Amino acid sequence: MKNKRIGIIGAGPSGLAQIRAFEALQDQGYAMPEIICFEKQDNWGGMWNYSWRTGVGKYGEPLHGSMYKYLWSNGPKECLEFSDYSFDEHFKKPISSYPPRPVLFDYIQGRIKKSNARDYIRFDTCVRWVNFDEDTKKFNVILDDLKINKTYSEELDYLVVASGHFSTPNMPYFKGIENFPGTVMHAHDFRGADQFKDRNILLIGSSYSAEDIGVQCYKHGAKSVTLSYRTNPIGIDWPEGIKEFPLVTHFKGETAFFKDGTTENYDAVIMCTGYQHKFPFLPDELRLKTKNNLFPDHLYKGIFFNQLPQLIYLGMQDQYYTFNMFDAQAWVARDFMMNRLTLPTEAERRLDIDRWLERNDQLEGSLDNVDFQSDYIKDLLSLSDYPHFNVDRVAQMFKEWLQDKEDNILTYRDKTYQSVVTGTVAAQHHTDWMDELNDSKERYLYEAEEEEMISDRI
Ligand code: FAD
Ligand code: NAP
Ligand code: MG
């Protein structure tokens, strides 16, 4: 095993889960294989590593990050908790169920900072191209060291693609938009609500980005927010100032025309129209080709590329579960790479994929989706020794979360949930989410204590 070389593309939550999975085995006395993780950014954390930049990074690569200032977890943290590293272990005290981005970033880093994970990662290193040699059964990966502007390559036995899929915008065209006089951007380039204060904004899309950017802009003082849906509206009882229209048909100047005949003028249009799975470094025959859904085709157990299981994809599903799903996947992938798990034949794997796809086709709405992904997690957990957690209880929390959002989109983040890892009930945040305009870690973790200390002194 020692001479096996494993490459991981991306040091976001999925890539880091893969490194952690190997380390967990090392803790049990196994020797580490040779691992090299390639990360084009200068730090780990993937999406959680916030960048103020848009368009391109420091070295001219497409900018990965789609996160923005004032982004808070959009699901209860109890639904994503690592089962081998709890929030209690990291923060040493109960925190609220919906932390802001810097706090979750801190948590992700906590687990790997305890180890030598950083030693495996080559930062500022972009994967350019991958070839698979049918004779040697090895990957040849062409890399750019962005810092010194140098191209080189590595031979690898396994390749784990953990490059994320919420980075390359899907940007549809609407007639007349080229003459719209205000701001036109994709959610990928949205960096905060500030610039939309006192503006009338139109968001196209009806999923998480539309919902959250709409609510963000409302919270931070937009004059009006309109969401425009293609298939189904989000359909909740919106507060005054946010409304939903059917799809835009076209624009004339600053005026948007909607399918139901309504027209309205806007200062800005934000396309919340989702992302493309994009692997510019993979040849067509190795490339995962899929829309954003709960079970991409051609991946056995959602991870092994069926025609070539040495090629492993992590985190390519649409996500209810996130960090704990990436972990469950990474542990299974690790066991395969370490010869601790044997895969059935390609034909048998195909049948297993088909069973999941059939069920995926029949899903009817969010509650069904939660059950589907929960069953998928259970299947993964049965295949490795990733510490089991109560998946049914997490599924229940997801369903309560869906209801909380429907009840009140402005207050759902004030709710608290109970950890399935430690049993700890989350703390109430010191400030209601709608009144909390500061998302820093310091304010989140210490402000209330400081205020108490100050009032004690007085
Ligand atoms: P990413 O986090 O996208 O990481 C992929 C990494 O691969 C990046 O570091 C990138 O630089 C690197 N990479 C890509 N291409 C190359 C290359 N060619 N060479 C080298 N490196 C490369 N999830 C939640 O659980 N809660 C939330 O509240 C939440 N909010 C979100 C908000 C937004 C706006 C978005 C877009 C996503 C959100 N998510 C949220 C989902 C988020 O995608 C996951 O939490 C998680 O970041 C996915 O991890 P990943 O490692 O699979 O991908
Ligand atoms: P998404 O869930 O894939 O949704 C894409 C949306 O775009 C759908 O509503 C889709 O409508 C619409 N769409 C696609 N093409 C369109 C077209 N041509 N015209 C009109 N509408 C079109 O993508 P997302 O909302 O960007 O979410 C991506 C990820 O980011 C999610 O995992 C989410 O959790 C995360 N996120 C989190 C937060 C947070 O608060 N923490 C905030 C934002 C995003 P149809 O239904 O018609 O296909
Ligand atoms: Mg969806």
Side-chain angles (χ1 to χ4, degrees), residues 7-11 36-41 61-62 122-131 139-146 151-154 156 159-163 278-283:
I8 303 171
I9 305 178
I36 319 172
C37 177
F38 310 108
E39 171 52 62
K40 72 177 186 180
Q41 303 189 61
E61 297 304 315
R122 292 187 194 163
F123 293 103
D124 294 308
T125 300
C126 188
V127 177
R128 284 272 173 257
W129 193 249
V130 174
N131 284 305
F139 296 97
N140 180 261
V141 177
I142 299 173
L143 301 145
D144 259 340
D145 184 328
L146 300 173
T151 305
Y152 67 105
S153 69
E154 293 286 356
L156 300 162
L159 189 63
V160 179
V161 181
S163 52
K278 189 80 188 165
F279 308 99
F281 47 84
L282 284 173

Side-chain angles (χ1 to χ4, degrees), residues 52-210:
W52 58 268
R53 293 173 192 271
T54 55
V56 292
K58 196 163 41 169
Y59 300 105
E61 297 304 315
L63 199 278
H64 188 78
S66 303
M67 284 203 180
Y68 38 89
K69 278 187 278 177
Y70 321 130
L71 182 136
W72 295 65
S73 176
N74 65 343
K77 75 178 194 306
E78 287 74 15
C79 290
L80 55 74
E81 189 166 15
F82 299 129
S83 72
D84 70 340
Y85 186 71
S86 66
F87 282 98
D88 284 1
E89 184 176 348
H90 184 73
F91 290 105
K92 316 286 185 217
K93 65 175 185 183
I95 61 168
S96 75
S97 280
Y98 293 87
R101 185 201 54 77
V103 173
L104 280 175
F105 184 38
D106 197 63
Y107 171 63
I108 295 166
Q109 298 186 76
R111 179 170 74 161
I112 41 170
K113 273 186 180 167
K114 292 197 310 183
S115 71
N116 300 325
R118 224 179 171 89
D119 297 347
Y120 301 110
I121 307 171
R122 292 187 194 163
F123 293 103
D124 294 308
T125 300
C126 188
V127 177
R128 284 272 173 257
W129 193 249
V130 174
N131 284 305
F132 182 72
D133 187 324
E134 287 291 348
D135 298 326
T136 61
K137 300 284 175 214
K138 285 182 194 291
F139 296 97
N140 180 261
V141 177
I142 299 173
L143 301 145
D144 259 340
D145 184 328
L146 300 173
K147 253 183 168 163
I148 57 169
N149 205 4
K150 195 169 162 47
T151 305
Y152 67 105
S153 69
E154 293 286 356
E155 295 274 306
L156 300 162
D157 297 288
Y158 296 95
L159 189 63
V160 179
V161 181
S163 52
H165 60 95
F166 294 129
S167 185
T168 305
N170 170 46
M171 192 75 159
Y173 173 70
F174 294 92
K175 194 165 163 250
I177 197 160
E178 64 274 30
N179 295 320
F180 184 82
T183 303
V184 178
M185 62 160 69
H186 188 275
H188 170 66
D189 297 316
F190 179 83
R191 288 291 173 271
D194 315 63
Q195 74 182 102
F196 301 108
K197 194 167 183 298
D198 301 323
R199 301 268 182 259
N200 296 305
I201 61 171
L202 170 62
L203 312 183
I204 304 181
S206 59
S207 187
Y208 298 101
S209 292

Side-chain angles (χ1 to χ4, degrees), residues 302-315:
I303 51 183
F304 301 106
F305 194 61
N306 202 28
Q307 294 94 305
L308 182 69
Q310 282 165 268
L311 177 63
I312 292 166
Y313 284 91
L314 297 183

